[in-house]
Amino acid sequence: MTDSSRSDAELLRAHVDGDRDAFAELFHRHRDRLWAVALRTLADREEAADALQDALLSAHRAAARFRGESAVTTWLHRIVVNACLDRARRRQAHPTVPLPDGSRTEPDRPVAAEPAAPSVDHDTALDVRHALAQLPEEQRAALILVDVQGYPVAEVAVILGVAEGTVKSRCARGRAKLAVVLGHLRARGGNQQSGGRVRTSTAQARTASVEDEK
């Protein structure tokens, strides 16, 4: 059986059993979405790359403890998000976060595809990323997973290790704060309600995230 024909769970089991190529194939299969989550959560390419590297090392070592109570992808995302939140908490002494602008090149650093061409509404996407970076880490992670990456609330609850109601509450509080920070987008977009405008804006950030994965 080839690596490409094996399921995520089969690849993880093969890795635990000593298959040296299985984990690399598993990472290659999901690296784009894992990278997008790390980049959106930390809003800095170098920090995101370090967090993703830390997370993959943790997953590599902890694979034998995976019990199949959730999907392998959910398990991987949880490890990545936790690594990102740990890094975000450690850098709280530096609240001003540089935004990735594509101008830096780090040939020996990238762990996944770099952001490619700008999205149609690139300015709005940058506004949303900047606003997301100002949210508390827990709210930012929930919003990125639900509104930007499009994961179901139930899966996000498993990834974050909290109740579904907690995910909904964090998203609601985060959207309320974004509505204030992104108030200028309402003027740009007409008389839409703030909540709808925030959802539209985060959807545009999701489009930018897809561009990042190419």
Side-chain angles (χ1 to χ4, degrees), residues 97-143:
V97 181
L99 291 174
D101 58 7
S103 61
R104 290 188 301 170
T105 56
E106 300 167 306
D108 59 344
R109 166 69 63 180
V111 293
E114 294 288 333
S119 59
V120 175
D121 194 350
H122 189 58
D123 289 342
T124 297
L126 286 178
D127 286 343
V128 174
R129 292 177 193 177
H130 183 39
L132 284 169
Q134 299 178 50
L135 295 179
E137 291 86 1
E138 289 79 7
Q139 293 175 19
R140 186 193 318 156
L143 269 181

Side-chain angles (χ1 to χ4, degrees), residues 22-35:
F23 192 84
E25 170 61 24
L26 183 65
F27 167 56
H28 179 77
R29 185 177 293 179
H30 300 293
R31 66 177 184 179
D32 289 344
R33 297 202 80 182
L34 296 173
W35 168 247

